[in-house]
Amino acid sequence: MKNRHLTRALTAGITAAALCGIVTLPATAAETVTLVDPGASPQTRSLFSYLDDVRGDGILFGHQHTTSYGLTFTGADGLKSDVKNVTGDYPAVFGWDTLILQGDEAPGSAGSTTEQNIAALDDYIAKAHSLGGINTLSAHMENFVTGGSFYDTTGDTLRAVLPGGAKNAELNAYLDNIAAAADGARDADGNLIPIVFRPWHENAGSWFWWGAAFGSPGEYKELYRYTVEYLRDLKGVSNFLYAFSPGSGFGGNTEQYLRTYPGDEFIDVLGLDAYDNTGSQAFLDGLVADLGMIADLADARGKVSAFTEFGVSGGVGTSGSSPEQWFTKVLNAIKADPRASRSAYMETWANFDAGQHFVPVPGDALLQDFQAYAADPFTYFAGDVTGAFDRAVDTTPAQPLVHIASPADSARVATSPTTIRATVQNVDADRVYATVGTTEIELSPGDGLWWSAPWDIPAAELDNSTQTLAVHVIVDGADVLTDSVSVVLGPRPTFGPGVVDDYEGYGDNTALRAEYVSYGANTLSLDTSGPSKALRMDYDFATQTYTGFGKQISGDWSSFNELALWVKPDGSGNKMVLQLVAGGVSYEAYPSLEGTSPGIVTFPFVDWRPAPWDTANANRRITDADLQAISQFNIYVNAADDGTGASSGSIVVDDIAALPGVEPPPVFSDVLPGSPNFDSIIWLHDQGLDDGYADGTFRPTRPETRQDVAALLYRYSDATWVPTAKRPTFLDVPKKHAAYTAIEWLAHEGLVDTTLPVYLPKAPLDRSSAAELLWRLAGSPEPAAPEAFTDVPSWHPYGKAIAWATETGIIVPTSATKFGVLKVVSRGDFAGYLDRYDHRPTPLEPVVLSDFTDGTHGWGPIGEGTVSSAGGTLTIGAASPDGGWFGFGPSVGDWTGRTQVTFDVVSTTGFDTKAALQVGSSWTWCETAQVGWIAAPTADVVVDLETLTADCGAQLADVKKVNLYFNAGTHVLDDVVLH
């Protein structure tokens, strides 16, 4: 056993010697804790006490799905674990997710009922508990409006699931399943197993539909409060500790962290979620600042703090990275800080597959570093957890509480009447009423969680103004409890085409802030110091390096050519960023913050560029298609890169709108939209390959000369080769020739014949020579069929090149029967050829997904059944009577252009298989057609991916899981190959 830090004594009578070497936290007398649920089960109360006491002595290591997914074992059974296999012990914390309930993650199954999936989750929770582990449950809930995944941010879903919302009943049904799972999680003696429940996490970001951009902080708070009250008060869940983890990157800023905090009455664990792929000092400093901040908050509020989710960005597999000594760097930074080290646990994500996993396994560069992390005395694993569930712990009584559930703080009420709902707890109220100004509204108790009443709002008050709504609780004639919210009345301001905002429609700061989401720490306010209203953002960089705000927008801007706004800069020297999300790409422009003189600044769309971090779209430019699909407008201020900018400041903006402006001049005066090869010529220019002539023309009909095409291909290939031969290859291309290097490169690369003594540099390029050049540049691929044109005889030296160029669509024949062998190629024509060459589909080589030479390659049964490997084959035992699904995480997730999965059958008792693929951001399950009965050994059984629906086929760029069905019996497979 590792040497462990001495655990903190709970009473003066416990000696350090009695505790040496183990993580034992016994209680000699009942202590008292304050929990969200004063009626929590004894084991749940004990767990809270244990987690609080372990803080500072060590940190519990946790792993999501540690016994339901793995790369070092097959046939997940709730006991096998990658962590156990590489460290010798199980994690101290076992993580699960509500995706299991709907069969989207193991041990759940898409083919099982919800009840069966709940039972499977409870079985794994019970096994984890028996191994000494502490269980946590995160929640990735589907988009209840659209039916998409948790990543689908459309549909205004956060507001739709709140009390009174159109999808509140769907949320309730989901919470019912969570409650059923909580009740079914019991140990061998029938006691409820404690679970740290972490719903609605990472809401400070906007990648989930409950994120910051999709509701006000007040609405998020009510979503969390409602979740707790529904589970605790209506469903009777008593074995949950409730965790709040809004994300990370707060720079130690308490106000920013607590922006969406539901309140002490609803939270037991203060969490932080952070990923990184650098291990840089900047990341470590920010992490320590945030963990220290939440530790201080936990101490002050009687909570537990934890690093609720962490890991290497993208995992440590082939889809991620392996920053050097990452695990030990993170651990050393945490334990070296007295505040950050007071984190109860740190939990990393799941080992889904070879591409994305978060605990290193044999073959991973970070394995030894992770093992060093595990061997550190400061990290605790399951074998080190003692006494977490058997302490005698009491809870403080629940305190009187009132909060307004709807309308939430900063919410907008667009129509009348609306319903006021208020939770009143732990007090025998004689009267509950609301006030709006001088108006009193009596509330009545209902059968559910609330006192409620309709609020009739005069039409004249639905004017985008803000009202204060207060609820009062009267006991024995005294006003004992009060809660109030600010509510914006009236529909959202509407704007004309292209207008982002003119700020005239907002009555006050609350109305303004209801429309915008803040990124980072800043203060947004309505500036009324000028002749018209404007938006003001006050910021500082004490704990951050950038901050900003934004709003969702929509519309067709393709008829506009520029964006203008009025800006009052602050003279800070920092960097202002305008960001327009169009066509799914974040384009940016940069107004100056030099000086303080206000004025209108204009940015033509031709000058906007993708955000610097979006390297995949670095060469992209805004198109009309992009402007037809705008979705977000943001403004940021970044700290100056050189550190010379002011540490704080204020910017004011107004009248943000897209305008017709002036139609931008054509890139080339003789290449207008709609002209032949227009897009290809502009592409050639945007790639920096051809800037045309000095007079601003491109001359698209001018013949492409052989010397010009050599220079163009040299640039296109980013060639750096320099000729060293003493004599030129061609007599008519001397060393002083302008295209000498490019033509010599053609010869050196074998792209042109060198058997002739001349190159004819000024001669025009013909179509057959163009085909030959591009064919050789592509590596001389074999065409699918021979040439079939009357002007291309079978003996033609460029026949294969012509056949290839036409079948790939790079060069279009001049007619149905003729290729146009000797026809001269114009500059515009060759721009089209090269553009189509560049964008041709890349030939896809077969990929071996599994050859079973060194194990089962992650294959396992989905439900009942067995798998084993031997001699480079996989043996599947499918259970009677119906057989079952067997699946794996593919080593290649992008199946774009793939048409088949094949495998060899070494022996079988007979089956008719089909594939089920989990694809896309919505994690959709799609099935192929069946292959037909296989009764005997067969090579290359074909599963046809082209039988997927069009919607499924369009998502093959993101294949997450692969399942194959097998009838009951025994089947031996080999060489699963993707074609």
Side-chain angles (χ1 to χ4, degrees), residues 314-336:
V316 297
T318 56
S319 299
S321 58
S322 299
E324 186 177 0
Q325 296 179 322
W326 190 86
F327 287 95
T328 53
K329 283 181 179 179
V330 170
L331 177 63
N332 290 336
I334 292 173
K335 70 179 185 179

Side-chain angles (χ1 to χ4, degrees), residues 27 149 159 193 433 504 573 588 611 701 716 811 823 906 962 969:
S149 79
R159 296 184 178 97
I193 296 172
Y433 70 97
E504 296 305 315
E588 293 186 351
T701 60
Y716 171 78
I811 302 178
K823 185 177 179 181
V906 179
V962 181

Side-chain angles (χ1 to χ4, degrees), residues 205-392:
S206 296
W207 43 87
F208 300 141
W209 58 257
W210 56 85
F214 312 114
S216 71
E219 288 168 322
Y220 177 85
K221 292 175 185 178
E222 287 308 321
L223 175 62
Y224 199 107
R225 291 167 180 167
Y226 175 75
T227 301
V228 172
E229 290 175 340
Y230 187 90
L231 292 172
R232 181 191 62 193
D233 302 333
L234 293 185
K235 304 303 294 184
V237 173
S238 62
N239 53 329
F240 275 2
L241 297 175
Y242 293 89
F244 171 73
S245 56
S248 60
F250 302 108
N253 185 298
T254 300
E255 180 182 358
Q256 187 180 350
Y257 178 82
L258 294 176
R259 179 179 291 167
T260 54
Y261 184 60
D264 289 346
E265 301 87 351
F266 299 92
I267 299 299
D268 297 305
V269 177
L270 299 176
L272 191 81
D273 293 6
Y275 287 82
D276 167 71
N277 62 356
T278 64
S280 68
Q281 194 60 46
F283 166 73
L284 297 174
D285 290 345
L287 174 64
V288 165
D290 280 345
L291 289 175
M293 175 262 293
I294 66 172
D296 287 347
L297 285 173
D299 292 342
R301 295 167 181 257
K303 309 298 179 186
V304 167
S305 64
F307 197 177
T308 43
E309 193 173 322
F310 85 102
V312 175
S313 303
V316 297
T318 56
S319 299
S321 58
S322 299
E324 186 177 0
Q325 296 179 322
W326 190 86
F327 287 95
T328 53
K329 283 181 179 179
V330 170
L331 177 63
N332 290 336
I334 292 173
K335 70 179 185 179
D337 185 86
R339 298 160 63 237
S341 61
R342 288 182 51 71
S343 302
Y345 62 86
M346 55 192 301
E347 180 179 343
T348 195
W349 210 240
N351 279 17
F352 283 126
D353 52 50
Q356 187 181 75
H357 56 276
F358 292 83
V359 167
V361 296
D364 290 333
L366 277 170
L367 177 59
Q368 287 186 332
D369 181 62
F370 176 70
Q371 290 171 330
Y373 161 94
D376 192 292
F378 199 73
T379 59
Y380 295 162
F381 284 67
D384 307 309
V385 177
T386 304
F389 307 108
D390 55 8
R391 295 172 167 224

Side-chain angles (χ1 to χ4, degrees), residues 893-946:
D894 185 353
W895 288 20
T896 304
R898 301 293 182 172
T899 59
Q900 296 178 346
V901 174
T902 68
F903 58 91
D904 297 339
V905 179
V906 179
S907 67
T908 182
T909 54
F911 65 88
D912 184 1
T913 192
K914 61 180 176 179
L917 310 180
Q918 192 176 48
V919 299
S921 61
S922 62
W923 295 53
T924 302
W925 281 101
C926 303
E927 291 188 6
T928 67
Q930 292 180 263
V931 304
W933 189 256
I934 306 296
T938 307
D940 291 332
V941 174
V942 176
V943 178
D944 188 355
L945 300 178
E946 294 184 303

Side-chain angles (χ1 to χ4, degrees), residues 841-868:
T842 303
L844 297 174
E845 296 295 328
V847 174
V848 176
L849 298 176
S850 303
D851 61 12
F852 312 115
T853 56
D854 55 356
T856 62
H857 286 203
W859 281 66
I862 311 300
E864 294 186 11
T866 62
V867 297
S868 62

Side-chain angles (χ1 to χ4, degrees), residues 45-351:
R45 300 195 298 265
S46 176
L47 175 60
F48 180 87
S49 173
Y50 173 82
L51 290 175
D52 190 33
D53 276 338
V54 81
R55 297 170 62 224
D57 290 331
I59 190 164
L60 303 163
F61 171 72
H63 184 210
Q64 188 81 359
H65 286 302
T66 196
T67 55
S68 55
Y69 290 94
L71 301 176
T72 63
F73 63 90
T74 59
D77 57 5
L79 299 174
K80 300 169 186 173
S81 165
D82 283 345
V83 174
K84 176 72 160 61
N85 290 343
V86 300
T87 69
D89 200 354
Y90 291 99
V93 177
F94 288 62
W96 314 104
D97 195 274
T98 58
L99 287 169
I100 295 168
L101 305 181
Q102 58 210 58
D104 286 340
E105 287 184 350
S109 170
S112 298
T113 66
T114 300
E115 291 73 19
Q116 289 170 327
N117 288 332
I118 289 172
L121 171 60
D122 286 337
D123 175 56
Y124 273 54
I125 287 175
K127 287 175 178 174
H129 185 76
S130 70
L131 295 170
I134 296 164
N135 284 280
T136 70
L137 180 68
S138 54
H140 290 85
M141 299 190 194
E142 65 188 31
N143 186 313
F144 296 107
V145 172
T146 67
S149 79
F150 42 89
Y151 285 127
D152 181 355
T153 58
T154 61
D156 202 18
T157 309
L158 188 154
R159 296 184 178 97
V161 300
L162 286 171
K167 295 297 180 180
N168 180 250
E170 284 80 354
L171 173 60
N172 291 347
Y174 199 101
L175 295 176
D176 289 344
N177 292 333
I178 293 175
D183 184 65
R186 296 179 180 268
D187 64 19
D189 297 323
N191 299 312
L192 289 168
I193 296 172
I195 299 168
V196 180
F197 182 47
R198 186 170 59 102
W200 314 123
H201 65 303
E202 298 175 13
N203 72 288
S206 296
W207 43 87
F208 300 141
W209 58 257
W210 56 85
F214 312 114
S216 71
E219 288 168 322
Y220 177 85
K221 292 175 185 178
E222 287 308 321
L223 175 62
Y224 199 107
R225 291 167 180 167
Y226 175 75
T227 301
V228 172
E229 290 175 340
Y230 187 90
L231 292 172
R232 181 191 62 193
D233 302 333
L234 293 185
K235 304 303 294 184
V237 173
S238 62
N239 53 329
F240 275 2
L241 297 175
Y242 293 89
F244 171 73
S245 56
S248 60
F250 302 108
N253 185 298
T254 300
E255 180 182 358
Q256 187 180 350
Y257 178 82
L258 294 176
R259 179 179 291 167
T260 54
Y261 184 60
D264 289 346
E265 301 87 351
F266 299 92
I267 299 299
D268 297 305
V269 177
L270 299 176
L272 191 81
D273 293 6
Y275 287 82
D276 167 71
N277 62 356
T278 64
S280 68
Q281 194 60 46
F283 166 73
L284 297 174
D285 290 345
L287 174 64
V288 165
D290 280 345
L291 289 175
M293 175 262 293
I294 66 172
D296 287 347
L297 285 173
D299 292 342
R301 295 167 181 257
K303 309 298 179 186
V304 167
S305 64
F307 197 177
T308 43
E309 193 173 322
F310 85 102
V312 175
S313 303
V316 297
T318 56
S319 299
S321 58
S322 299
E324 186 177 0
Q325 296 179 322
W326 190 86
F327 287 95
T328 53
K329 283 181 179 179
V330 170
L331 177 63
N332 290 336
I334 292 173
K335 70 179 185 179
D337 185 86
R339 298 160 63 237
S341 61
R342 288 182 51 71
S343 302
Y345 62 86
M346 55 192 301
E347 180 179 343
T348 195
W349 210 240
N351 279 17

